[in-house]
Each structure stands twice: as structure tokens, then as C-alpha cells.
Amino acid sequence: MSDVISDASLRLAGNSSSQKKTSHFYSNLIALLFALITALMLLGGCAGSEGTKDDTDIWSEAKLYSEATDKLNDADFAKCGKYFEKLEARFPFGPYSQQAQINAAYCYWKAQEQAQALVAIDRFIKLHQGSPSLDYAYYLKGLITFNDDLGWLGKFTGQDLSERDPKAAKEAFESFKIVVERFPDSKYEPDALDRMRYIVNSLAEADVIVARFYYQRGAYLAAANRAQLVIRDYDRAPAVEEALYILTKSYEKMGMVQLSNDTARVFKLNFPDSQMMTTGQRVQKERKWWQFWNK
């Protein structure tokens, strides 16, 4: 019996060794096949990339900068943005790297690629806080988010900044504010200040439009609240004239005679030549930002 058991044990041991060898063989075969497939894929990728090879791959840093600058001068903003971006990525420590980042942001902005422009300028600001071009970087960021170009539809409808989402205007204001406060001697400071004034007036105008909407629909309490917001936050904006008018009329409609009379007196004190209490219309519409240059 012991011999039988011993023979069986030997047979089992032989089968186990054979199974291990077979398993090892198949493992090697699978690894070899995987390596071959990977190599074929890489060769195929190389062949595909060779067919659509980027000509700029062999350009030197100086040539890439020169070509990008030529595209900028030719107003080919989409291409110059890509060239400057490639330059900065390929030669991050080169002499043209910083300028390439700013130029890429400018080109993308002019090409109306706002998201890419913001990525480029934010990267520059984060990496180069000691740069002599930092004032321009913040100014350019303000321009990118300011985005006063409404295209043909905006010009056709007469839409201005006050009739759009104020979020971008507030972000632009913060960038221009940095230029004015941190770089008072910058050549971009006067224009940044003019744009800040325009943004403030436009934000006030936007709130007046809402107050007017509420008033016209009989929501006098909501109209009064929004008008008070304009008076409190934008006390020197042209829109305050209409805000005081809406506040006066809203109090009157709600039967708050004393408050209405007090607000009317404030209106006359601040706008003695205004005919709005009589006509219900403002004579002078808000100026565009560039009109602030005409002092």
C-alpha cells in the first residue's frame, strides 16, 4: 500500500512540475505578444505623427520667436498665439520665455480665445511677480475680462456693458485696480483708471435697469431696495439720478409720503437741472469708456 501511495505521490509531483512549466511557457508567450503589440502601436504612432509632423519641431528658439513675432505683426493672432505657447513650452528657461507668455495671452485675446488668454496671463502673473512687465500683465488681464467688443450684434442692438453679466466686469475692475494701486507710475495707469470708472458706472446702470424693471411691474418695494443699492454703492455714478427718481416714485406708490418727499429734496439738491421728475426720462446717457479720455 505504501508503494502505491508513493507512486501516486510521484505522479502528482510530476504533474505539478509539468503544469508549472506549461504555465511559465504561456506567461512568457503572453508577455512576448504584448511587447510585439506595443511595439507595433508605437511604430504606427510614429508613422502617423510623421505624416502630420509639425514644421516648428526643428526650429530653434530664435527662429520660433521670430516666426511668432511675424505672425503677430501680420495680425494672424490664432497662429501667433500657438507659436508663442510652443516657444514657452519648449524653451521654458530661454531668454524669450517670459515675453512669449505675455505675447501668447495677447494673441489669444485678439483671436477672441478668452479662456486660453486667461490661462496664459494667469500663468505669467503667478510665475513672474518680480517682472518689470507685471503692470502690463495685470492690465492685459483686465482687458481680457473687460471684453467690451460685443461684435456686430451688440453694435446693432446698442447693447453696452451694463446689459451683460456683471461678473466679468467685476473681475476686470479688480485687475485694473491692481494696476492703479500697485503701479501708479505705470503708463497703463490712466487707461486702467478710465476703464474702472466706466465699469463702476456700468455696474450702477445694470442695477438701475433692474430697479426700473421692478418699478414698471409694480414691485415697488423691490424697486426701492435696488435703487437704494445704487445710491449706497455707486454714489457718484450718473445712474444715481434715475435711482433717486425710482426711489422717490416707489415710496410715493407705497404711500410713504414723508420718505418720498425727503428723497425728492435730495434729488433736487444733487441734480438741480434735471427734468426727470417731470419727464421720467434721463437726458444724458452713460458714456462709453473711451469717452473718458475727452476730459
Side-chain angles (χ1 to χ4, degrees), residues 131-140 175-193:
S131 171
S133 300
L134 191 59
D135 60 333
Y136 174 70
Y138 280 112
Y139 174 72
L140 180 57
S175 295
F176 292 134
K177 184 179 179 182
I178 291 174
V179 177
V180 171
E181 292 183 348
R182 288 180 55 181
F183 309 97
D185 298 326
S186 170
K187 65 180 179 180
Y188 306 106
E189 189 270 349
D191 186 70
L193 187 58

Side-chain angles (χ1 to χ4, degrees), residues 148-160 163-164:
D148 194 51
D149 183 7
L150 300 171
W152 69 270
L153 182 61
K155 294 175 182 177
F156 178 77
T157 60
Q159 186 189 38
D160 63 22
E163 297 172 290
R164 289 179 286 158

Side-chain angles (χ1 to χ4, degrees), residues 48-89:
S49 63
E50 189 68 26
T52 58
K53 186 175 180 180
D54 186 352
D55 292 337
T56 67
D57 287 344
I58 60 173
W59 290 358
S60 67
E61 181 180 8
K63 179 173 174 58
L64 189 51
Y65 183 80
S66 176
E67 292 290 335
T69 303
D70 287 343
K71 295 300 180 184
L72 172 59
N73 294 334
D74 293 339
D76 189 350
F77 298 118
K79 185 160 287 187
C80 84
K82 292 178 181 178
Y83 280 4
F84 280 122
E85 189 173 47
K86 288 179 181 179
L87 174 62
E88 189 267 329

Side-chain angles (χ1 to χ4, degrees), residues 13-64:
N15 289 340
S16 175
S17 176
S18 176
Q19 288 174 354
K20 286 182 179 179
K21 289 180 180 179
T22 303
S23 175
H24 185 65
F25 172 76
Y26 281 118
S27 297
N28 287 342
L29 181 61
I30 291 170
L32 179 61
L33 288 173
F34 180 77
L36 287 171
I37 292 170
T38 303
L40 288 172
M41 290 176 64
L42 289 172
L43 287 172
C46 290
S49 63
E50 189 68 26
T52 58
K53 186 175 180 180
D54 186 352
D55 292 337
T56 67
D57 287 344
I58 60 173
W59 290 358
S60 67
E61 181 180 8
K63 179 173 174 58
L64 189 51

